Amino acid sequence: SPAALEASFEPTRFQCELISRVLRGKDALSIPAITLLIEEVLPTNKETIANDPTVGSGIKWTEHSMPILTACLNRQPTLPDSVVVKLADEISYHLSPTAPAAMLKSMKFSTLFHALVTKYGPQVKSTGRVESLKDSASRLKTFMSKTIGLALKKLS
């Protein structure tokens, strides 16, 4: 049913740990496979699902699942601009004033945010996401907020 497609997939802590270990291992996955994994696990907006019901809605961002994305970004696969935009927009969404406060103090979320900015800075800049991410970084309540903010400042 379409309602079932709208729910994000939430893997267990153990599934997330296993995937993260595979990603961090040497020669575990090829870079193109990591790019595909990132594209597949990113949340998809409701409009996309409405227009194409075969599209999944990605993985739910939790303390257990975010290290998977971070491990992927740390391998630095080539990502299409659309994926960098999606990651930046998802980060901005989770730090928006209307979003639940769960991510504000999350070190795993901060680490993911930092990986995006430091590994994909030129793309963050060329896709016009620096300012929105600066606003988001200012709302973070972890010690990494200043580091992320400085990295974004260097891009602008």
Side-chain angles (χ1 to χ4, degrees), residues 44-153:
T44 307
N45 64 38
K46 305 275 187 278
E47 285 175 27
T48 307
I49 295 168
N51 294 336
D52 183 0
T54 61
V55 172
S57 62
I59 195 171
K60 185 173 182 183
W61 283 22
T62 66
E63 287 295 301
H64 305 306
S65 65
M66 285 182 289
I68 293 172
L69 285 169
T70 303
C72 287
L73 295 182
N74 285 336
R75 294 282 303 274
Q76 291 186 278
T78 300
L79 295 178
D81 285 349
S82 61
V83 171
V84 172
V85 164
K86 214 177 207 187
L87 277 165
D89 290 351
E90 193 68 20
I91 287 169
S92 293
Y93 164 75
H94 282 292
L95 292 174
S96 68
T98 57
M103 301 298 181
L104 295 176
K105 295 179 181 177
S106 167
M107 278 308 299
K108 290 179 180 174
F109 183 79
S110 296
T111 304
L112 172 60
F113 192 167
H114 186 258
L116 176 68
V117 171
T118 57
K119 310 282 188 207
Y120 294 90
Q123 272 181 284
V124 167
K125 182 177 181 176
S126 68
T127 56
R129 291 304 188 270
V130 173
E131 291 307 315
S132 63
L133 288 178
K134 272 191 197 171
D135 290 342
S136 299
S138 70
R139 284 193 281 282
L140 256 184
K141 298 193 183 333
T142 68
F143 72 88
M144 290 182 76
S145 65
K146 286 192 175 107
T147 307
I148 295 166
L150 285 171
L152 286 163
K153 190 175 182 182

